[in-house]
Amino acid sequence: MHVFNWTLAYACATLGTSLDFARIVLANPTPFSFVANLLLVGVAFFAVRGAVLRYAGHSFDRILIPVFLATVVCGIWFVFIDPSIFGRGATSSAGAAAMFLIGAWTIAKAARQDAIDRLLFATFALTAATLIARPIVTYVYEGPLQAEAEVAGSLWVVSFKVFAMLSWFATAILFLLRITTDVMKDLAAQSLTDPLTGILNRRGFFIVAEPVLRDVRPGLPAVLLILDIDQFKRVNDTFGHLTGDNVIQGLANLLRQASKDSGCIIGRLGGEEFVALLPATNLIAGRAFAEGLRAAFAAGSHEGVPFSHTVTVSIGVAESPGGESIDSVIERADGALYRAKREGRNRTHIASDEASPGVVPQGTATGTCRQASMAFRQSMP
């Protein structure tokens, strides 16, 4: 939507400039000057409205529209009721300046800013300052213009044309840079995100998780979970692929809710297989977290699946004290997952040394389990 508003701004600029040049050869240029002024104020309105939509996420129409309408009313007054070339131009400049200041303020309040944002803020602020200073300077040097014939070669018009050319050119470049950068960021995010669930895909998970795993130390280990929905093909074959997608989204929502604000990195490796990396977590806490997920998922419901049919998940858990690749940790967790599947499904299996317990059978209750179960129920429709 902000791109559309910026397009309208430059459409107004093209029409307004064309009318402004046309008045030179017209016998009665006043109506054309009035419309040209309105279109040039429209440039400010749509440029700022687009910026507000981009940086604030919503329009400030309750402020921008009254400013625009007040400028139009003043223009009508100084054209048809109390004709004044200076009054018409000064009120147009003041209205446009007010809108550009709103745009600059919105950009300044944005949470995240890059070089393009800062340059756009500076351009908006400088444009507003110039629009305010221009009537004052021209009034001091030329006084109030009395006739349309005086306008063509005046400092008023010459300064405007030079300023407008520079301002519109700079703003157009910044708008194009902002749009291009946003599109590239969206494409990059899409390339790392699973479209069905909205969480990281396999590539995205590896990119995010690898540096986290490199920072793991023996005193501050990490735990990796591999989760696989049990007998998922039967779910698809019995209830349809749409229901299968609902089940996959249900597990993704459970992971998202259970890991919220915990620093846990989650992703979908493909099909019905998911992964979660828990930084600064030991095997005991990781196992409790996994068992909480398992029990919560089994207790949940899914659209399209009858209550008489329970969908479960098996989980493999591996702890990493550091010094190994993410592929190695995933391989060990995957081996634990395979054993969980082989020993009956709907269970959590631990990849650990012989001194550690290997299997957590279904039915184990922990505080983490209850938290995950609550998070799952909140995520369900």
Side-chain angles (χ1 to χ4, degrees):
M1 183 58 74
H2 67 280
V3 177
F4 178 67
N5 277 268
W6 287 343
T7 303
L8 290 177
Y10 277 86
C12 288
T14 302
L15 291 173
T17 303
S18 300
L19 288 175
D20 194 51
F21 279 112
R23 71 181 181 179
I24 298 175
V25 297
L26 296 172
N28 183 20
T30 300
F32 287 86
S33 297
F34 171 64
V35 176
N37 279 351
L38 291 186
L39 287 169
L40 296 176
V41 173
V43 173
F45 176 80
F46 288 113
V48 172
R49 190 173 190 272
V52 171
L53 286 168
R54 165 59 177 78
Y55 291 97
H58 57 86
S59 66
F60 285 169
D61 286 349
R62 58 188 175 83
I63 299 175
L64 290 174
I65 290 178
V67 172
F68 178 77
L69 292 178
T71 306
V72 171
V73 170
C74 289
I76 293 173
W77 178 272
F78 287 117
V79 170
F80 300 106
I81 299 174
D82 184 17
S84 170
I85 296 172
F86 181 80
R88 183 183 69 206
T91 54
S92 297
S93 295
M99 287 185 277
F100 277 116
L101 286 174
I102 292 171
W105 177 81
T106 304
I107 297 171
K109 295 288 287 184
R112 296 181 180 179
Q113 299 180 21
D114 57 16
I116 299 172
D117 300 328
R118 290 189 287 272
L119 286 172
L120 194 55
F121 163 79
T123 301
F124 274 25
L126 182 60
T127 299
T130 305
L131 285 169
I132 293 170
R134 177 171 156 262
I136 299 173
V137 172
T138 54
Y139 185 87
V140 170
Y141 280 91
E142 295 181 333
L145 299 174
Q146 302 296 330
E148 291 286 347
E150 301 176 3
V151 173
S154 66
L155 175 63
W156 177 267
V157 167
V158 172
S159 65
F160 174 75
K161 293 188 186 303
V162 173
F163 157 71
M165 180 183 66
L166 295 174
S167 175
W168 293 347
F169 183 70
T171 306
I173 292 176
L174 291 172
F175 282 168
L176 288 173
L177 285 173
R178 181 72 283 157
I179 294 167
T180 303
T181 304
D182 287 347
V183 169
M184 291 177 65
K185 286 181 179 179
D186 287 342
L187 291 174
Q190 291 174 18
S191 71
L192 303 178
T193 304
D194 175 56
L196 178 61
T197 62
I199 64 176
L200 294 172
N201 59 19
R202 183 184 185 92
R203 178 171 176 263
F205 177 80
F206 272 70
I207 289 175
V208 176
E210 280 182 330
V212 173
L213 198 61
R214 281 198 298 268
D215 292 336
V216 170
R217 298 292 180 267
L220 205 64
V223 170
L224 187 136
L225 281 59
I226 299 287
L227 307 92
D228 189 89
I229 300 172
D230 295 325
Q231 297 179 321
F232 182 72
K233 185 176 183 302
R234 183 182 297 179
V235 173
N236 269 338
D237 293 344
T238 305
F239 306 111
H241 289 278
L242 181 59
T243 298
D245 287 348
N246 292 335
V247 172
I248 287 175
Q249 289 171 334
L251 182 53
N253 289 336
L254 170 60
L255 284 168
R256 187 183 291 109
Q257 290 291 331
S259 60
K260 188 177 182 181
D261 301 325
S262 67
C264 176
I265 303 166
I266 60 174
R268 183 185 179 195
L269 294 181
E272 66 273 23
E273 194 170 53
F274 291 77
V275 63
L277 178 65
L278 285 68
T281 305
N282 59 28
L283 190 59
I284 295 174
R287 180 176 62 184
F289 183 79
E291 179 59 12
L293 293 172
R294 183 205 62 76
F297 190 71
S301 61
H302 310 275
E303 185 177 351
V305 179
F307 290 104
S308 58
H309 186 99
T310 301
V311 184
T312 61
V313 64
S314 297
I315 306 176
V317 183
E319 180 187 75
S320 176
E324 63 179 324
S325 68
I326 191 168
D327 290 311
S328 174
V329 185
I330 287 179
E331 184 178 0
R332 292 195 292 111
D334 202 48
L337 172 64
Y338 174 76
R339 289 191 292 275
K341 292 280 190 181
R342 186 181 57 192
E343 295 175 9
R345 299 186 180 90
N346 188 24
R347 60 186 60 225
T348 300
H349 203 294
I350 309 299
S352 59
D353 56 37
E354 294 181 357
S356 300
V359 177
V360 177
Q362 66 182 65
T364 302
T366 65
T368 306
C369 169
R370 288 190 294 272
Q371 292 173 2
S373 179
M374 183 178 298
F376 180 77
R377 291 191 180 96
Q378 292 173 348
S379 70
M380 298 302 294

